[in-house]
Amino acid sequence: MIVATGYQEFDASRITHFGYGKLPNVITSFEFERMVREGRIETAEERRPQYAAILHCVGSRSLEFHAYCSRVCCMTALKYAHELKSAVPGCYVSDVYIDMHAFGKGCEDFYRRSSEVKTLFIMYGKNDYPVIRKAEPGDDCEMLIEVSEQLSGERIEIPADLVILMVGMEARADAAEVARLVRISQDKDGWFIESHPKLDPVATTTEGVFIAGTCAAPKDIPDSVAQARAAAARILGKIAKGIIEVDAVFAEIDEEACSGCRICNELCPYGAIEYKADVKRSRVISALCKACGACVAACPSGAIRARHFTDEQILAEIEGVLA
Amino acid sequence: MNTDLATAVDGAAAAVADGGRTATMVDGHTRRSGAGAAASFQPRIVGFLCNWCSYAGADLAGTSRTHYAASVRVVRVMCSARVDPTFVLKALAEGADGVLICGCHPGDCHYSEGNYKTMRRFPLLKKMVADLGIEDERVRLEWVSASEGQRFADVVNDMTQRLRALGPSKIKIALATDRAER
Ligand SMILES: Cc1cc2nc3c(=O)[nH]c(=O)nc-3n(C[C@H](O)[C@H](O)[C@H](O)COP(=O)(O)OP(=O)(O)OC[C@H]3O[C@@H](n4cnc5c(N)ncnc54)[C@H](O)[C@@H]3O)c2cc1C
Ligand code: FES
């Protein structure tokens, strides 16, 4: 099974400084995408914006909301600047950012080209949110953005008719439910945890369950696609073999020692212990056993052995760690 | 239950039950530790950590370079339900000052319900420990997820502090005296 449930966008109205939901011309990146798709980049008053501002890291890289970087927004913001410039000739575009994360193939080059098309880059401080307010009647713009500009150290105001908030990615509200359903774990931010971040990034700790895309962490489309293909290949690799190899870690019952009390039968969450009525003994179906060891700890006759986690091994470990 | 251990545990019970002799031992022990020892005493905790959540959580504490008391010695088990009460008693008999069992949060056990079994067994274990004359605070059950490196560190720190206040465990010495006198 591949889990590829993706992300959800950060709710921009949580940062009150930006006036999202109150100022009609403050929109999210998702709403801007829709405008681009419909080929109509305009303000709520159906005017062409003369001044546009793109605000980075909305909900990301913040002490209050998400500490992590959402990875795709910086480059997407630069893309928007180009789109604005070509769709609305003469439009002044300000790019209000904290740090520019132009990682990966061709991205630094794209950043350089964005500066060349006269995008105005303005740096704001982490957790020192710019404040967006409605302009006064005399101003020739819809809104003013007040920013403590980091490079000059000055408090400045930027005119804007349209403000695009680059909302970050966050784990879906129902991610915990999904995690519980397929028995995988989430990290502190709610992203699904991979079996190993470097060596096994699409597998999970649950056999047969793989993760791909942004459900595991923020990433762009190429990375999501690469993961999805890797996950599919892992599954095909398993199926193509025709047989499934299971771990050598499982429980075994010593039939000589088993008293046939059947306590273990009820304990097994996988129904991996069968009772053989003819000999009045229980037996583990090793292919079904997942090796939790609940039965081993419960057997009153000490008849169940957990391979690789035997009583002798664990008792020796206890002696070892206390020696 | 492992028979060797059953004897050991019986011995512990007998030794601890014999108030007078144990008291001398305890006195001897505390005196040896010296004044102000409570602060410097480094308890030894055996931690049984389930493979899927708590062991990963402890690992995260390590990879995140979290600082916490160097008092816990970890024994990995597949699930908290694998922790046989025998293991806990064995650890105490071998000189552990405390035993920490950590598993996935309720509802999150890799094996669905192993931790519920642990949860049900634990009060019995605590009672058994208390019946043997051992302070039941020496055994502790906590839920630590794979993302809770900090929580693991906090639990270890907190337990270390409590064990410091409680002082070193007398069980191993009591057992040794008991064996010597038999
Ligand atoms: C503003 C913005 C702009 C971006 N622009 C770019 C860009 O220009 N270039 C780029 O490379 N990347 C860009 N990205 C990143 C890109 O959106 C992601 O990398 C990509 O969408 C991740 O794909 P995914 O399949 O992991 O998740 P998603 O696209 O979120 O897809 C997950 C799917 O799973 C479905 N789903 C969720 N839960 C369940 C469930 N329980 N059962 C069944 N279905 C479910 C959802 O409905 C959804 O269809 C941008 C991101 C943002 C926020
Ligand atoms: S696997 Fe963690 S408690 Fe069962």
Side-chain angles (χ1 to χ4, degrees):
Chain A
M1 176 193 290
I2 299 176
V3 179
T5 45
Y7 64 100
Q8 69 181 27
E9 60 186 289
F10 174 79
D11 173 9
S13 64
R14 289 173 70 192
I15 307 181
T16 49
H17 301 65
F18 300 158
Y20 179 72
K22 296 210 172 75
L23 298 170
N25 288 311
V26 175
I27 61 170
T28 66
S29 34
F30 283 81
E31 288 159 345
F32 180 72
E33 295 269 353
R34 210 168 302 136
M35 281 188 181
V36 173
R37 206 171 48 228
E38 289 165 6
R40 283 175 17 155
I41 300 182
E42 55 188 28
T43 64
E45 298 78 23
E46 301 191 0
R47 280 201 302 265
R48 308 194 114 208
Q50 197 194 346
Y51 300 104
I54 305 170
L55 198 76
H56 287 229
C57 299
V58 175
S60 314
R61 308 187 64 226
S62 109
L63 290 178
E64 238 172 296
F65 303 102
H66 301 305
Y68 56 81
C69 160
S70 290
R71 271 182 84 122
V72 298
C73 340
C74 277
M75 294 318 296
T76 308
L78 295 181
K79 182 181 81 177
Y80 290 176
H82 280 267
E83 278 167 353
L84 277 162
K85 291 257 177 197
S86 61
V88 190
C91 177
Y92 293 98
V93 181
S94 312
D95 195 289
V96 189
Y97 69 104
I98 301 177
D99 292 298
M100 192 62 72
H101 287 183
F103 73 97
K105 212 173 184 176
C107 294
E108 191 60 31
D109 196 39
F110 191 56
Y111 178 27
R112 185 184 49 72
R113 278 190 280 131
S114 306
S115 334
E116 284 167 6
V117 294
K118 294 211 170 54
T119 302
L120 181 65
F121 287 97
I122 291 169
M123 189 185 211
Y124 76 96
K126 226 175 172 180
N127 299 303
D128 187 3
Y129 301 116
V131 180
I132 306 174
R133 63 165 204 274
K134 199 159 170 41
E136 305 298 323
D139 297 320
D140 70 335
C141 55
E142 289 290 326
M143 296 165 285
L144 288 169
I145 309 174
E146 210 180 313
V147 191
S148 292
E149 212 282 328
Q150 295 292 296
L151 298 175
S152 65
E154 282 173 38
R155 191 131 184 109
I156 58 171
E157 283 183 343
I158 314 163
D161 297 322
L162 187 67
V163 178
I164 305 165
L165 303 178
M166 299 306 300
V167 288
M169 297 189 187
E170 61 186 15
R172 288 174 57 96
D174 61 1
E177 221 175 300
V178 173
R180 211 155 272 187
L181 192 70
V182 300
R183 239 175 272 301
I184 57 181
S185 306
Q186 291 174 281
D187 70 10
K188 67 178 194 322
D189 296 313
W191 307 112
F192 299 142
I193 300 182
E194 54 283 83
S195 164
H196 188 286
K198 290 176 188 142
L199 303 175
D200 209 1
V202 296
T204 65
T205 48
T206 298
E207 189 72 27
V209 177
F210 296 85
I211 47 176
T214 47
C215 62
K219 56 177 69 73
D220 60 7
I221 295 168
D223 284 1
S224 301
V225 170
Q227 276 203 330
R229 285 174 173 256
R234 288 287 293 275
I235 289 183
L236 283 174
K238 273 188 188 286
I239 296 172
K241 262 193 194 159
I243 51 159
I244 299 277
E245 282 177 20
V246 294
D247 268 347
V249 185
F250 54 83
E252 290 171 327
I253 297 178
D254 174 356
E255 291 203 3
E256 295 284 296
C258 174
S259 68
C261 73
R262 307 191 63 174
I263 286 178
C264 57
N265 298 193
E266 300 302 316
L267 277 176
C268 181
Y270 302 98
I273 306 178
E274 59 176 0
Y275 181 67
K276 297 200 293 180
D278 51 342
V279 287
K280 296 199 172 64
R281 297 283 180 272
S282 292
R283 195 182 74 96
V284 175
I285 306 162
S286 56
L288 293 182
C289 173
K290 295 268 178 275
C292 66
C295 58
V296 188
C299 177
S301 314
I304 315 182
R305 208 172 89 97
R307 286 174 51 138
H308 299 279
F309 288 87
T310 64
D311 283 357
E312 295 74 29
Q313 284 170 324
I314 293 178
L315 293 172
E317 262 186 84
I318 296 168
E319 279 175 29
V321 297
L322 289 169
Chain B
M1 199 189 270
N2 175 305
T3 40
D4 245 14
L5 202 75
T7 330
V9 171
D10 287 347
V16 177
D18 178 359
R21 187 174 30 157
T22 315
T24 341
M25 273 320 303
V26 174
D27 279 345
H29 192 79
T30 24
R31 226 174 281 132
R32 258 203 316 281
S33 316
S40 60
F41 156 63
Q42 181 66 282
R44 298 198 297 172
I45 303 169
V46 173
F48 293 103
L49 273 50
C50 86
N51 184 52
W52 305 103
C53 288
S54 310
Y55 193 78
D59 198 29
L60 181 65
T63 52
S64 315
R65 308 277 190 275
T66 310
H67 286 259
Y68 61 98
S71 50
V72 70
R73 288 125 201 253
V74 172
V75 174
R76 181 172 68 103
V77 287
M78 291 302 267
C79 175
S80 62
R82 173 68 183 93
V83 181
D84 191 318
T86 312
F87 300 164
V88 176
L89 299 175
K90 165 82 172 175
L92 291 169
E94 287 290 331
D97 297 299
V99 175
L100 173 64
I101 302 171
C102 293
C104 314
H105 283 272
D108 288 349
C109 172
H110 190 69
Y111 306 102
S112 306
E113 52 208 39
N115 51 5
Y116 291 129
K117 287 162 192 150
T118 311
M119 205 189 283
R120 260 184 280 144
R121 285 172 189 161
F122 191 68
L124 298 177
L125 176 68
K126 259 190 124 89
K127 189 168 182 313
M128 175 155 64
V129 167
D131 286 350
L132 290 171
I134 303 166
E135 301 90 340
D136 70 350
E137 282 167 76
R138 294 197 186 272
V139 295
R140 183 160 167 172
L141 174 64
E142 290 286 348
W143 313 124
V144 175
S145 82
S147 64
E148 293 178 329
Q150 187 57 53
R151 181 171 151 69
F152 178 73
D154 292 345
V155 164
V156 172
N157 282 337
D158 182 71
M159 188 168 180
T160 304
Q161 232 170 36
R162 283 165 196 270
L163 289 174
R164 278 208 182 115
L166 215 54
S169 160
K170 322 145 196 167
I171 305 139
K172 190 172 181 181
I173 305 155
L175 275 174
T177 323
D178 184 60
R179 274 201 208 99
E181 289 183 5
R182 259 189 205 177

